Amino acid sequence: MTGTSDTAPGMERLDLTQLGAMLRERRGKLSLRQAAAEAGVSFSTFTRIEAGAQPDLTSFTLLCAWLGVSPGQFFMPTALPGISVTEATRLLQRQDKLLKQFPEVDHVFGKVGRAETPTDPAHFSMAETTVTLKPEEQWRPGVTWDSLIAELDPLLKFPGMPNIWWMPIQTRTEMLATGIRSNLGIKILGPDLAEIERIGLTIESLLQGLRGTRSAYSERVTGGYYLDVQVDRDAIARYGLTIEDVEDVIESAIGGKNISQTVEGRERYPINVRYARALRDDPESLRRVLVETPSGATIPMAQLAQISMVTGPPTVRDERGSLSGIVFVDVTGRDLAGYVAEAQRVVREQVRLKPGYRLEWGGQFQYLERAKARLRIVVPVTIFLIFVLLYMNFRSVTRSLIVLLSVPFGVIGAIVYLYFLSYHLSVAVWVGIIALAGVAAETGVIMIIFLDEAYERWHREGRLHSMADLHLAIIEGAVQRVRPKVMTASAILIGLLPIMWSHGSGADVMKRIAAPMIGGMVSSTLLTLVVIPVLYALWRGRSLPAEAPAEVGAEKRLVPLEKP
C-alpha cells in the first residue's frame, strides 16, 4: 500500500487537506464545537417537525358515509336522526350523481341504513358511498389524491351532513377497533344522555372553527323518534282482551309478522304479512287498526291504547360502565398531535364538565399515543443494544462511544431531510430512524477499524513519537479509506433513492421509512470522515508527548508504505 501522492484522487486529496487542518489542536477543537452546534441546530429543527399519524395506504377507492356527511376514500355522510326513507334516498342519489361528474371517478355505489348483518350496526341516518377511482394515469394533469378530495368535499357539503373521507377497509377496521369512524373522536362518558348531548354540541361548535378541522359532528344521542303504544288495561279488560292479544295485532298488522317460508331451489325466503302502507303510515291510521275480541267484535286501537310520538336515543352506547356519545372530527392540513393539543386546550378552557362526566380522546390519536409510549422504550433500548454489540466487538468503552457518535451524526441529516420534505413524525419515520441508527454505526465501525490498523502499524514499527506522527497515522488510516466508506454509503443511497419516486399503495409509508436513512447517510458519512478522526486523535494523543504538531495537509506527504 503506497502513501498519497500528487496524483492522489481528488476525493482523497480534498479529505486529506480538510482532515489535516482539522487535526491541528485549535482547529480540532473548533470542528468539535461546529459538530455540536450542528447537532443543536438539528435538535431545534426536530422540535418544529410535527407529529402525525401513519400515512394512509391509498387504495384508489373512497368511502363516503353519512354521519353528517363524511367524504373519504369511503364517503360517509351522516344526517340528523329522524330522516325519512324518501329523503334519505333522494339525498343519496343526488350525492352519487355529483360524485359521478368527476372524470377521475369510475363508478359510485351508495348504501343507507344497515345491511342484513350483525356486523353493520349503522343507524338509518348514516349512508356509505363507495367511490371507485380510475387508474391515476387517467386523471386530469396536476390532480393528486389530496387535491381531488379537496374538490369533492365542498361540492358534497349539504346542510346538517358533515363529511368524512376514508378508505373502505380502513373505515371498517377503525370502527371495529375503536368504534370511531374518523381519524379523531372525542368520547363523552357520563350518566345522562341529555347532558352528554349538550357537551357534545358545545365541543362540536368549538372545533368547527379550529384550524385543521374539515368536519366535526356530535352524535345526537337523544334525537330519535319512536311510536309509543301504551295499552289501557282497564279498557281491554272490558272487552275480554289481554295485553298479548293487543300486542299481537301491533306486531302483525303494523310491524309485520313472518307466517311461513317459501322454498325456491336452495333459497329460502320468509313470507311476511302486515297492513298495506296506506293503513299504517301515520298515527291516525294506526288508531283505526281493528282488534278482534273473543266475541267476534272488532274494536279500534284508539279505544284500547294511547298512541303517541315520543323522542329518545336512536342508539345507546355503553362504555366502561357509563353511557357515552362521540364527537367525530375529520382533521386535515396539519399534524394530528398538534391539532389534538390545541383542541384539548380549547375544550379544557371553555367546556365545563359536571361531576361524573369525563372525556376520552380516541381514534388514530390513540394509536399515536401508544406508539409514543412504545418508542420511549424502543429507541433507548436500540441505542443500548448497538452499544453492547460494539463493546462485544471492540472490548473498549471508548471505541464504542466514538463509533456511537455516528448515530447522532446520522440523525442530523435525517431531521434536515424530513423538515425539507414536510413529513410528520409518524411511526414509519421512527422506524426509518431506528434503522438509520444501525446503518450509521456501520460507517463508524469502518472508520475505527481503519484508524486502529494504521495506529497499530505505526506503533509496531516504532514510528509514533509525537502528535505529528499520530496525525500522519490517522491521515493514513482515514483518508486512504475514503473510497470504501463512500462506497458503503453510496450503495445504501442508490438502493433507497428510487423509493422516493414510487407511487401506489404503500408508497407513502415506504417514503417515510426511507427518507431518514437517505438524509442520515449523507450527514453521517461526511461528519464521520471529519469528526471521528479528531476524537480518535484526542484519545490516542493522551499517551504521547505534547509536542507542537507539524503542519499536515495536502502539501505534507505520507511516507510510502510497502504493500503487505
Side-chain angles (χ1 to χ4, degrees), residues 251-331:
E251 178 187 2
S252 58
I254 301 173
K257 187 173 184 179
N258 294 338
I259 60 173
S260 184
Q261 189 179 65
T262 178
V263 179
E264 299 182 13
R266 298 181 59 188
E267 300 175 356
R268 305 290 189 273
Y269 297 100
I271 300 174
N272 187 279
V273 177
R274 62 176 175 174
Y275 276 17
R277 180 176 296 275
L279 302 178
R280 54 178 175 83
D281 60 356
D282 60 77
E284 190 59 36
S285 298
L286 296 178
R287 293 187 180 96
R288 292 194 293 268
V289 171
L290 300 177
V291 180
E292 186 176 0
T293 65
S295 63
T298 54
I299 308 298
M301 183 68 69
Q303 299 182 21
L304 304 176
Q306 295 292 329
I307 300 177
S308 59
M309 297 294 294
V310 298
T311 59
T315 58
V316 178
R317 294 180 183 270
D318 185 276
E319 193 162 335
R320 300 185 184 182
S322 300
L323 297 174
S324 67
I326 301 177
V327 180
F328 301 96
V329 185
D330 190 17
V331 181

Side-chain angles (χ1 to χ4, degrees), residues 353-510:
L353 299 179
K354 295 181 179 179
Y357 295 87
R358 64 188 187 277
L359 302 179
E360 292 184 0
W361 299 73
Q364 291 187 3
F365 177 70
Q366 280 181 288
Y367 302 147
L368 185 61
E369 291 297 298
R370 292 174 187 171
K372 283 183 179 179
R374 291 176 181 174
L375 287 171
R376 291 190 186 101
I377 300 174
V378 171
V379 173
V381 168
T382 300
I383 296 175
F384 176 75
L385 291 177
I386 292 174
F387 175 79
V388 170
L389 293 174
L390 292 173
Y391 181 79
M392 293 173 62
N393 179 60
F394 292 116
R395 298 295 177 181
S396 169
V397 174
T398 305
R399 287 188 181 90
S400 301
L401 291 175
I402 292 176
V403 173
L404 205 60
L405 282 176
S406 300
V407 176
F409 292 161
V411 173
I412 290 174
I415 292 172
V416 172
Y417 194 44
L418 289 171
Y419 186 78
F420 174 76
L421 295 174
S422 300
Y423 283 172
H424 295 162
L425 287 175
S426 62
V427 175
V429 168
W430 279 108
V431 170
I433 293 176
I434 292 172
L436 169 66
V439 177
E442 291 182 7
T443 61
V445 170
I446 295 173
M447 175 64 79
I448 288 293
I449 290 175
F450 288 153
L451 293 177
D452 277 342
E453 287 180 354
Y455 177 85
E456 295 298 335
R457 186 184 306 110
W458 280 58
H459 186 272
R460 188 170 55 251
E461 296 173 357
R463 297 161 56 189
L464 284 177
H465 304 293
S466 65
M467 288 296 294
D469 296 331
L470 177 61
H471 291 172
L472 292 174
I474 289 175
I475 290 175
E476 178 186 314
V479 176
Q480 294 186 354
R481 298 301 184 269
V482 170
R483 285 185 179 181
K485 290 190 284 288
V486 173
M487 288 177 63
T488 301
S490 298
I492 296 173
L493 292 174
I494 291 172
L496 293 176
L497 279 174
I499 296 177
M500 303 307 294
W501 285 277
S502 61
H503 294 279
S505 298
D508 288 338
V509 176
M510 293 304 301

Side-chain angles (χ1 to χ4, degrees), residues 231 236 241-250 291 301 304:
V231 179
I236 63 174
L241 296 171
T242 64
I243 293 179
E244 183 180 3
D245 296 332
V246 178
E247 290 183 344
D248 280 343
V249 174
I250 296 173
V291 180
M301 183 68 69
L304 304 176

Side-chain angles (χ1 to χ4, degrees), residues 158-175:
F158 294 174
M161 299 178 67
N163 300 333
I164 297 175
W165 298 94
W166 266 17
M167 311 288 177
I169 296 177
Q170 181 187 21
T171 304
R172 294 304 180 201
T173 56
E174 292 290 339
M175 290 177 69

